[in-house]
Amino acid sequence: MPRLLAIALVALTAAAGCSGSDAATAEFPVWHNTDLNAISRTISAGGVVSATSMKPDGDLETVALDQKTGKRLWAHPATMAGRLPGMGVSSPAVVPSAGGEPVVVALDPARKGRWNATLIARDGTSGRQLWTRPIHSTFGPQRCGPYVCLSEHTALRAARVVVLDPATGRTLWKLPGIAEVEWSDATRVLLLRLAANPMIESYELKTGRLQWQQPLDQALGPGIDMSGGWAFGATGQNLVGYVAPYTNPRTKKVSTFGLFSVRLADGAVNWMRPSVVRVYPSGNPGSAPIVRPVDTHGAYGGFARLDADSGRVVGQITSAEVPGAGWWLAFPDRMDKLGFLKHDGKGAAYDFATGKALPVEEEAGWSFCVTDPKPLPLRGQAQGFYSVASLCRYDLSSGKRAGGDEAPPSWFTGSQDGWRLWRDEKGGIHAVNDGTPTSPGMYG
């Protein structure tokens, strides 16, 4: 049996709003499953939670948990075939079938002939195998609305994107090249086409009909190289994208980088913020972008919080207020303050709205639990893969971890149908159903 810290109830006190009234207590279901070492993003749909876990011997497995209780439903061997270390460990795709039952799709190490692995779809509740697809190389499956999107043959010239029926594995339509799903709903999907001229494209899910396309060099400027990494997020009617800088080792030239926003409806550019870098930890680019400007000489400026809808600066800390070296960023639950954490020492804190320093003795913030992560000792995989990072709460006046078992803030975890899921620093999965509106977290 898994070592579940059985379902508990978290009591939060909320003021009733009237002077002199009694406080009301709201209770939320929570669970913790520490009987696994989840190293990928955690994905949920249809009442099932799934992640890629690493076993003590370095092998990978796909694990499925019941969303209401955290109880392990099943686990099967998993692998990666052709995924790049900079992309992190791939997650399973969890997609409700036409009947509403969840289907978990992941890469299995079964090899056959010239194929390096097998894509296997399983019933999310029982683990029963539904269909298979031989794989040469892939970045991994993703949910796209009611279907499964997969870039396959990624190490070959014949690379393509296929859209699959989750119940049968039947190919509905396909595209040449490599792409990643950045947003989808029940009728359409937005793909990042990874090519010499990368672009965002919108497709009708049933037919594969192209609706619109927006080249990234028109959204952000010429000279883009995706080798530095990227991140996307959507809230409301817009998609916000971040392209990280990349220094060409031959020319030493830095690629175009920054943030931009396009409309989901037609791909029109709303705003752009070139020459800024996303900071970590921080919220998703689509909901709470925090950035630092970089000048032409590579010098960093202060910190700015942007409004995701307009791109306007809604709060900033000037470069003169940034302390010397040796700090890590730490944010409170609402990201209305910016903290500089110095481990085992006194840090600093500022109010984003006013830019003024705050009494650090009264401040706590969330920052990375581990600042010097070690590569995962994966068996049979390329070196350089890391676990998804975890956040811990710190007292900024002492630089030590603050006590308590609080859940990390929603800007980090995100929320799906009221559920918030996160990984602790040892790989356990935690969940709380506190009714937080659906929103993307730091990792999407």
Side-chain angles (χ1 to χ4, degrees):
M1 293 292 292
R3 291 181 289 111
L4 281 175
L5 306 179
I7 293 203
L9 291 176
V10 175
L12 297 183
T13 302
C18 299
S19 177
S21 63
D22 294 332
T25 299
E27 295 181 335
F28 302 126
V30 305
W31 54 259
H32 318 284
N33 190 321
T34 58
D35 194 31
L36 74 167
N37 180 15
I39 57 176
S40 74
R41 289 177 55 205
T42 303
I43 308 296
S44 64
V48 167
V49 173
S50 189
T52 303
S53 178
M54 185 181 73
K55 299 169 70 173
D57 62 3
D59 281 342
L60 297 175
E61 62 178 358
T62 301
V63 178
L65 310 176
D66 180 86
Q67 189 172 45
K68 291 184 178 179
T69 66
K71 177 183 176 182
R72 180 183 290 224
L73 298 173
W74 52 266
H76 283 285
T79 192
M80 293 182 288
R83 188 171 173 90
L84 306 177
M87 303 178 74
V89 175
S90 60
S91 304
V94 186
V95 185
S97 68
E101 300 82 7
V103 176
V104 177
V105 185
L107 209 60
D108 189 282
R111 301 166 64 99
K112 186 176 182 181
R114 66 189 181 95
W115 306 104
N116 297 317
T118 303
L119 190 73
I120 299 184
R122 294 183 170 93
D123 178 274
T125 304
S126 67
R128 177 177 57 88
Q129 182 175 306
L130 302 176
W131 52 266
T132 67
R133 184 182 183 91
I135 294 293
H136 175 274
S137 48
T138 180
F139 291 162
Q142 293 180 280
R143 177 182 176 178
C144 48
Y147 306 123
V148 177
C149 283
L150 178 77
S151 283
E152 60 181 4
H153 307 324
T154 52
L156 304 175
R157 290 189 176 183
R160 63 184 184 179
V161 180
V162 292
V163 179
L164 309 174
D165 183 320
T168 65
R170 180 173 64 92
T171 300
L172 302 175
W173 50 275
K174 55 191 174 183
L175 298 168
I178 300 172
E180 181 180 87
V181 175
E182 304 303 348
W183 178 87
S184 67
D185 63 10
T187 61
R188 58 197 175 112
V189 60
L190 267 58
L191 298 175
L192 170 63
R193 300 295 300 275
L194 296 167
N197 182 24
M199 61 183 66
I200 295 290
E201 295 181 338
S202 176
Y203 289 89
E204 186 179 81
L205 272 170
K206 271 192 175 182
T207 65
R209 180 178 64 86
L210 176 65
Q211 297 173 318
W212 56 259
Q213 57 184 193
Q214 180 60 260
L216 296 196
D217 60 5
Q218 293 185 25
L220 193 57
I224 287 176
D225 189 321
M226 305 302 289
S227 302
W230 61 88
F232 285 81
T235 54
Q237 301 303 311
N238 303 316
L239 178 75
V240 179
Y242 169 64
V243 178
Y246 176 72
T247 302
N248 186 301
R250 182 176 57 85
T251 64
K252 308 303 180 185
K253 184 178 180 180
V254 179
S255 64
T256 296
F257 60 97
L259 278 158
F260 65 92
S261 169
V262 298
R263 290 202 301 249
L264 296 175
D266 56 13
V269 176
N270 296 308
W271 55 263
M272 66 174 71
R273 283 274 178 177
S275 300
V276 297
V277 294
R278 182 189 180 197
V279 303
Y280 298 91
S282 68
N284 185 276
S287 57
I290 308 287
V291 299
R292 293 191 79 178
V294 184
D295 67 20
T296 55
H297 303 290
Y300 288 91
F303 292 84
R305 177 172 178 174
L306 307 180
D307 176 77
D309 289 331
S310 66
R312 292 194 302 266
V313 173
V314 294
Q316 60 183 332
I317 310 298
T318 67
S319 56
E321 293 165 322
V322 178
W327 48 262
W328 295 87
L329 293 181
F331 291 97
D333 289 347
R334 292 184 297 167
M335 298 193 80
D336 54 349
K337 304 170 185 175
L338 173 62
F340 294 96
L341 168 68
K342 291 191 175 182
H343 290 283
D344 299 317
K346 187 175 182 178
Y350 293 87
D351 182 276
F352 248 133
T354 65
K356 294 182 179 180
L358 299 169
V360 73
E361 291 77 14
E362 303 173 7
E363 299 299 330
W366 292 87
S367 191
F368 291 123
C369 300
V370 178
T371 56
D372 59 343
K374 304 295 188 294
L376 293 166
L378 299 178
R379 189 159 70 172
Q381 296 290 335
Q383 297 300 303
F385 283 97
Y386 292 83
S387 300
V388 168
S390 303
L391 290 194
C392 292
R393 191 167 177 266
Y394 289 87
D395 181 337
L396 295 183
S397 65
S398 66
K400 297 184 183 298
R401 291 194 185 183
D405 297 322
E406 295 94 340
S410 59
W411 57 257
F412 174 72
T413 65
S415 181
Q416 183 70 36
D417 299 324
W419 281 96
R420 297 200 294 121
L421 300 158
W422 67 95
R423 171 192 183 273
D424 65 33
E425 60 185 307
K426 295 182 179 179
I429 294 180
H430 302 243
V432 59
N433 185 356
D434 59 6
T436 300
T438 295
S439 61
M442 176 172 154
Y443 293 108

